Amino acid sequence: MIHIISGGTTDGDSIRARKAHGRRLENFEVNSQLSQVVDPNISFGREDLRDVVVPHNDPLLVTLTIANYDVARIFVDTGSSVNIIFKETLDQMKLEGFELDPIITELYGFTGHALQPLGQIVLPLSLGNGEQRVTKMACFTVVDAPSSFNGILGRPALSDFRAVASTFHQKLKFPSGREVGVVRGDQKAAQLCYVNEVKIDAKKKRGRNGFSRPGPEGVGSEGATYQRLMDRVFASQISRNMKVYVDDILVKSQDDVGLVANLEETFSTLRTYRVKLNPENCVFGVRGCTFLGYMVTERGIEANPEKVQAIQSMSPPCNLQEVQRLAGRIAALSRFISRSAHRSLPFFKVLCKAKKFEWHDECEKEFDDLKNYLAELPCVG
């Protein structure tokens, strides 16, 4: 998934062209063309939320007309320095009379990885319908990469059309004479594309590392991406009857009847977003289990006794590495320790003096108090 795109030919396809662009900006008189702009005011209000499911944080996907083809799943991305059309989309259009111009400048995504485009092509692009339709020639960078999107509408086209996007209102508005044209987003398609993009990232990871599922192991940002996916899919259930961390799912209930109802809701959500579970890793009807290092029981969420014992059996640290180990164990139990940051302050002071280890009386006292406190940890809901 290409998140924030930079590079391309926005400022020219060479270093000399980009330097010339910079010099023009230095000599540009601020607001020199402001008097020439007579666009109507563009605003978003409550009426724009009609037919929009809120709350949400879905991307804005729209259908636009490119070279007389209605192309769906166009991702509106104000962070992209170029307009993009994917090779698979361009192949389906079967255009005649249009040729690709070569590009030497690479594209850079959010992770900093470079991608060499196939070239660029200038095509007519239309926004809106009927009398409000506006058509301009737009330059698209052609990219050969797997994607759930057919194209990306970046800053160049948004600037040419003087369009304003609102992901919250799921609309793209632009001036059309003295009126304001509107392109509505497809919220359902945005959610499905997000799921597909995560699957694409997972396949890329399996190809690189041989792993069977995305996870949080310093290999890139797949774990964080998958976590955002799960947060979005189960937004209505998390904290109410579910806990989710990446691909670990815990459905909770106070009684057997409630558990069945919560499971029905969960499986309905899974079917809606076409998320599959591994039956070998599924366990139902348990009275207690270990989840993310915590003990989940009928009483609530309790600290893992093994982690508590690891601190209680520790001798006073004698070097910086052991202080770091102590701080890490405290952090693992911070949810159950009142004022954990305050209790750890003496240990952090020791770590700040990285060149010299000094375990003073304040550290010793706080260390002993911590051990005594761990003997009776609270149970949280």
Side-chain angles (χ1 to χ4, degrees):
M1 181 175 183
I2 303 175
H3 297 278
I4 299 176
I5 304 167
S6 59
T9 59
T10 301
D11 300 329
D13 199 26
S14 66
I15 297 178
R16 177 179 297 179
R18 285 188 285 274
K19 287 184 177 179
H21 177 78
R23 288 192 294 269
R24 288 195 298 272
L25 290 177
E26 292 177 358
N27 299 326
F28 182 74
E29 183 179 351
V30 178
N31 295 332
S32 62
Q33 298 180 353
L34 184 61
S35 59
Q36 302 177 14
V37 179
V38 291
D39 292 338
N41 291 330
I42 295 178
S43 62
F44 296 88
R46 181 176 300 178
E47 66 278 2
D48 291 305
L49 290 175
R50 191 176 304 155
D51 299 328
V52 177
V53 179
V54 292
H56 76 90
N57 58 353
D58 299 319
L60 179 58
L61 263 65
V62 297
T63 297
L64 302 179
T65 302
I66 303 177
N68 293 329
Y69 284 88
D70 290 334
V71 183
R73 301 201 311 274
I74 300 293
F75 176 33
V76 180
D77 185 5
T78 59
S80 176
S81 65
V82 292
N83 308 311
I84 286 180
I85 189 168
F86 291 96
K87 179 180 181 298
E88 184 177 355
T89 305
L90 194 62
D91 290 341
Q92 293 183 38
M93 297 171 72
K94 298 180 180 180
L95 299 177
E96 296 182 0
F98 293 91
E99 296 182 356
L100 292 183
D101 295 325
I103 298 179
I104 62 174
T105 305
E106 296 178 326
L107 293 178
Y108 294 87
F110 183 75
T111 59
H113 295 117
L115 176 66
Q116 182 61 52
L118 299 179
Q120 64 182 10
I121 187 171
V122 178
L123 299 172
L125 171 65
S126 299
L127 271 62
N129 297 303
E131 296 181 355
Q132 294 182 341
R133 169 169 289 201
V134 175
T135 301
K136 295 178 180 291
M137 299 301 292
C139 181
F140 290 89
T141 298
V142 183
V143 173
D144 186 8
S147 177
S148 295
F149 308 129
N150 288 321
I152 296 177
L153 196 69
R155 293 196 303 269
L158 293 174
S159 178
D160 287 344
F161 283 91
R162 300 194 292 278
V164 181
S166 173
T167 56
F168 178 68
H169 296 90
Q170 286 289 292
K171 284 184 176 64
L172 179 69
K173 294 188 177 183
F174 58 95
S176 176
R178 296 185 178 182
E179 298 181 352
V180 176
V182 179
V183 178
R184 299 178 182 274
D186 189 336
Q187 197 172 8
K188 187 65 175 180
Q191 295 171 354
L192 292 176
C193 281
Y194 188 90
V195 174
N196 291 333
E197 286 296 325
V198 172
K199 290 180 180 178
I200 291 173
D201 286 343
K203 289 181 180 179
K204 289 179 181 178
K205 180 185 173 183
R206 286 198 295 269
R208 290 195 307 267
N209 306 301
F211 293 137
S212 61
R213 65 180 185 182
E217 61 273 80
V219 294
S221 61
E222 288 88 351
T225 303
Y226 200 90
Q227 180 66 64
R228 290 194 296 270
L229 164 67
M230 302 304 279
D231 289 343
R232 179 173 300 180
V233 169
F234 297 108
S236 63
Q237 290 184 253
I238 292 176
S239 298
R240 178 169 58 86
N241 59 13
M242 175 183 284
K243 297 288 185 181
V244 176
Y245 180 74
V246 191
D247 54 358
D248 287 328
I249 301 174
L250 173 67
V251 181
K252 57 183 180 178
S253 177
Q254 295 292 336
D255 50 53
D256 295 341
V257 177
L259 178 60
V260 173
N262 292 340
L263 286 174
E264 288 179 348
E265 181 183 6
T266 301
F267 280 108
S268 175
T269 303
L270 290 170
R271 283 191 294 269
T272 299
Y273 291 95
R274 292 184 283 185
V275 178
K276 296 182 180 180
L277 302 181
N278 185 350
E280 296 180 358
N281 295 335
C282 297
V283 181
F284 300 94
V286 296
R287 298 291 179 180
C289 66
T290 301
F291 183 72
L292 303 181
Y294 300 123
M295 300 297 296
V296 182
T297 66
E298 294 175 320
R299 297 183 297 273
I301 301 176
E302 302 176 2
N304 191 327
E306 295 180 357
K307 295 186 177 182
V308 174
Q309 184 60 35
I311 296 180
Q312 289 181 328
S313 61
M314 265 187 89
S315 301
C318 58
N319 54 51
L320 291 175
Q321 288 75 18
E322 293 185 359
V323 177
Q324 291 173 341
R325 191 176 299 118
L326 172 62
R329 290 173 175 174
I330 295 175
L333 296 171
S334 60
R335 185 172 186 175
F336 304 90
I337 301 176
S338 175
R339 304 172 66 207
S340 61
H342 178 77
R343 293 179 182 275
S344 304
L345 185 59
F347 312 137
F348 292 149
K349 290 181 179 179
V350 174
L351 293 175
C352 289
K353 301 177 181 178
K355 295 183 179 180
K356 182 180 179 182
F357 172 76
E358 183 179 356
W359 186 260
H360 43 73
D361 294 341
E362 182 184 2
C363 293
E364 187 69 27
K365 179 180 181 303
E366 195 61 53
F367 185 59
D368 293 336
D369 290 344
L370 177 63
K371 286 187 174 183
N372 295 329
Y373 181 81
L374 293 178
E376 299 181 2
L377 285 180
C379 177
V380 299

